[in-house]
Amino acid sequence: MRKLSIAIATSLVAAAALVAAAPVSAQRMSLAERVGVLEQQAGNNDATVDLLRQVNMLKEEVTSLRSQVEELNHSLGELKDTSRAQFLDIDQRLEDLEGGAAPGTSAAIGSADAPAAKPVVERAPSVHGDAGTLAMGAGEREAYDAAFNALKNGEYAESARLFHSFLGHYPEGVYAPNALYWLGESYYVTQNYKLAMTQFKALLDRYPTHDKAPGALLKVGLAEQGQGDEQAAERTLTEVTTRFAGSDAARIATDRLGAIQLGRLR
């Protein structure tokens, strides 16, 4: 009996141990699963942090690109203003050189450091006659100066309007040739090449020996090139070099012809 009791007690202890062991095993599996879930969540958090970092980097790049675009737009605007001022400067130099005035007697209109047009005194056309007759042209000069000042200040639409008005009031005036030229320039600097050529050609037809004639023919060629008609431009620029040989306009035409031919080889 005693041996039987001991056997039964041993069996009960073993059974109890098995029963106690089962929950521990189940608990260990649950912990493993929980650790796996936590690791997965940690991985997701790392991915989220990395994504946020990339988004912030992209935002910084977009901000930098916007800044660069603004700088480029600003530079482009300055370049346009400088180019327009240089066009006027070249015309003024042409007038000084071809009219016999010493270079530098007129202030240059604009520079790379200051794109805005600077005050300039245009050389008056050569006029002959008695003092009384010349005095009667004071109103003409005032009207001309008003139009020319608008051009110097970059008010191209206004200068075109004023030069048109001037030519309507003084079609045969002393300053009519100059007005035709600067009216063409008002259109040229805004790339309205067709209207510009009309004014330059009118000057050449009516005043073929005027001081502005070489520059007018040069501008016809440049306007043709601006329109994309390089063949016509070459013919006109070649005519400048022969018709007005030795002039500053002829030298500019020669340089432009060389550029056209060089571009054709590329």
Side-chain angles (χ1 to χ4, degrees), residues 239-255:
E239 182 181 355
V240 175
T241 64
T242 56
R243 182 173 170 181
F244 302 106
S247 68
D248 202 45
R251 287 188 289 274
I252 295 173
T254 299
D255 291 341

Side-chain angles (χ1 to χ4, degrees), residues 92-176:
Q92 191 64 47
R93 291 171 186 270
L94 279 172
E95 182 179 2
D96 288 341
L97 291 170
E98 293 166 0
T105 56
S106 299
I109 305 178
S111 67
D113 295 330
K118 295 181 180 179
V120 61
V121 179
E122 187 190 21
R123 183 175 59 81
S126 300
V127 184
H128 304 281
D130 62 82
T133 301
L134 297 179
M136 294 176 62
E140 177 186 348
R141 178 70 197 194
E142 290 178 359
Y144 177 84
D145 284 344
F148 190 72
N149 286 334
L151 179 67
K152 287 189 300 178
N153 294 329
E155 301 169 2
Y156 303 118
E158 179 66 6
S159 66
R161 185 188 71 80
L162 290 174
F163 278 122
H164 264 300
S165 176
F166 174 88
L167 290 168
H169 286 87
Y170 307 101
E172 304 298 329
V174 172
Y175 293 92

